[in-house]
Amino acid sequence: MTRKTSGPAGGRRPRDVVADALRERIRSGALEPGARLPTQRALETEFSVGRSAVREALAALTREGLLENVGRGSSPTVAAPDHHAETPRIAGVELTDRLHEAFQAEHVTIDSFSLTSETLNNALAWPIRQVMDRRPAPRSVRARLLVPSLDARLALPRLIDDPEDPKPRRRLHQMQTAYVHAVENSLSSLARFGVEVSLTVRAVPLTPTHKLYLLNRDEALIGYYQVVRNEKAVYEGEQLALYDVLGLTTKLFRSTDGPEARDEQESAFVAESQRFFDSLWDTIAVPFE
């Protein structure tokens, strides 16, 4: 699948609506370090949600290291950057921030190897919104996505009681297709702002044990999938009990080959990660359909 390009919309949980809005205010600088958030009652009114949704949103932002002093009888405050910048963070948060930085370059490249591209799709929302807000925009964005091929016998996901049943793989293919098209739609929106965009998607006969993102060929982000029991998966109206994988909440570890590199080993890791991706791309990968 190779396209010159244009995520799923709607259906977000109330806590995600609140968390996304506050996260954007923090990242944009509208809420600076040390600033106190509105009261929970004020957030309930602003977003028309219940108290539980507000509390869950604040808890999520606290886990991400964006808030501190939560639950101490007063409104939480925005954490200083040094409270969270150097520690591994969950994939959705870390990738969003690193993509925002990557989009400051004139020519952006994104190489992604993952199970479904869900995390990438979610993380693109913030940098794309910045471009739409007339912030400095790159001249071009080139993305290459690798996902597992369903022609191969994947180890995961699978039914707990019947590893050969094809329904988990069919369900996975539906998810892959949905998120690949969501990434395509998100990137294509940049064309209206004069950004040249290309997206190529290929499949490889491998079961990913990790997710890998390579940004501008000088930064690598890697996180490991955790295998879990998922007994509430649904496929065509049927509830499935799966051995499944978690990716959105896994932590990403960042390495750079740029001026911030700590040592030669870190630079070498980025280079080898890029070679790993390129070797799959240039040999056994086939167009994703």
Side-chain angles (χ1 to χ4, degrees):
M1 175 177 178
T2 304
R3 309 193 180 183
K4 294 284 184 182
T5 79
S6 202
R12 292 191 300 162
R13 293 172 296 186
R15 71 182 187 191
D16 294 332
V17 173
V18 179
D20 289 349
L22 295 178
R23 190 182 295 114
E24 180 175 348
R25 293 173 193 176
I26 293 171
R27 288 181 176 139
S28 67
L31 286 172
E32 298 181 345
R36 193 173 298 280
L37 264 62
T39 64
Q40 292 188 19
R41 183 181 298 277
L43 293 172
E44 289 177 57
T45 301
E46 177 181 355
F47 294 101
S48 300
V49 298
R51 179 65 59 90
S52 62
V54 171
R55 288 175 174 169
E56 290 173 8
L58 297 179
L61 296 178
T62 302
R63 289 193 298 271
E64 296 169 14
L66 297 175
L67 297 179
E68 58 187 358
N69 301 323
V70 178
R72 297 186 179 181
S74 59
S75 298
T77 55
V78 178
D82 61 0
H83 285 214
H84 53 79
E86 298 302 322
T87 58
R89 294 184 291 169
I90 62 174
V93 175
E94 182 68 4
L95 184 58
T96 297
D97 282 354
R98 299 318 306 163
L99 280 171
H100 171 66
E101 292 299 322
F103 267 59
Q104 307 308 305
E106 184 176 9
H107 299 286
V108 178
T109 63
I110 303 169
D111 291 334
S112 166
F113 176 47
S114 64
L115 196 65
T116 66
S117 301
E118 178 182 8
T119 302
L120 176 63
N121 174 64
N122 294 346
L124 280 169
W126 167 248
I128 288 176
R129 189 180 301 116
Q130 292 292 87
V131 173
M132 292 179 174
D133 288 343
R134 306 295 181 179
R135 306 290 175 89
R139 292 179 58 186
S140 68
V141 176
R142 187 194 70 168
R144 299 189 297 175
L145 276 56
L146 278 178
V147 295
S149 168
L150 300 189
D151 294 335
R153 185 180 181 277
L154 300 179
L156 294 164
R158 68 176 178 84
L159 288 185
I160 294 174
D161 296 329
D162 185 1
E164 302 302 323
D165 192 298
K167 288 193 286 292
R169 294 193 297 276
R170 292 171 183 165
R171 173 178 172 269
L172 174 64
H173 186 61
Q174 287 184 347
M175 297 173 65
Q176 288 176 329
T177 302
Y179 286 113
V180 163
H181 284 306
V183 170
E184 179 185 12
N185 291 335
S186 295
L187 290 177
S188 69
S189 66
L190 295 174
R192 301 199 307 270
F193 299 88
V195 181
E196 181 183 346
V197 178
S198 68
L199 170 65
T200 308
V201 187
R202 294 182 182 177
V204 287
L206 300 173
T207 305
T209 57
H210 67 277
K211 53 173 55 185
L212 175 67
Y213 306 100
L214 298 154
L215 307 180
N216 294 346
R217 303 188 71 88
D218 63 6
E219 183 169 287
L221 301 165
I222 187 170
Y224 297 95
Y225 286 111
Q226 306 297 318
V227 182
V228 298
R229 292 176 68 100
N230 177 6
E231 300 185 13
K232 296 183 179 180
V234 176
Y235 174 70
E236 293 187 345
E238 179 183 358
Q239 186 165 317
L240 307 178
L242 306 177
Y243 283 124
D244 210 348
V245 293
L246 286 179
L248 279 172
T249 57
T250 190
K251 291 185 177 179
L252 290 183
F253 295 83
R254 172 178 174 250
S255 299
T256 179
D257 191 26
E260 299 178 22
R262 293 181 291 264
D263 50 37
E264 292 184 6
Q265 179 168 293
E266 183 177 6
S267 296
F269 178 80
V270 176
E272 286 300 304
S273 296
Q274 188 68 62
R275 291 190 187 101
F276 164 75
F277 184 95
D278 290 341
S279 70
L280 294 178
W281 189 267
D282 295 332
T283 56
I284 62 174
V286 298
F288 174 81
E289 299 296 343

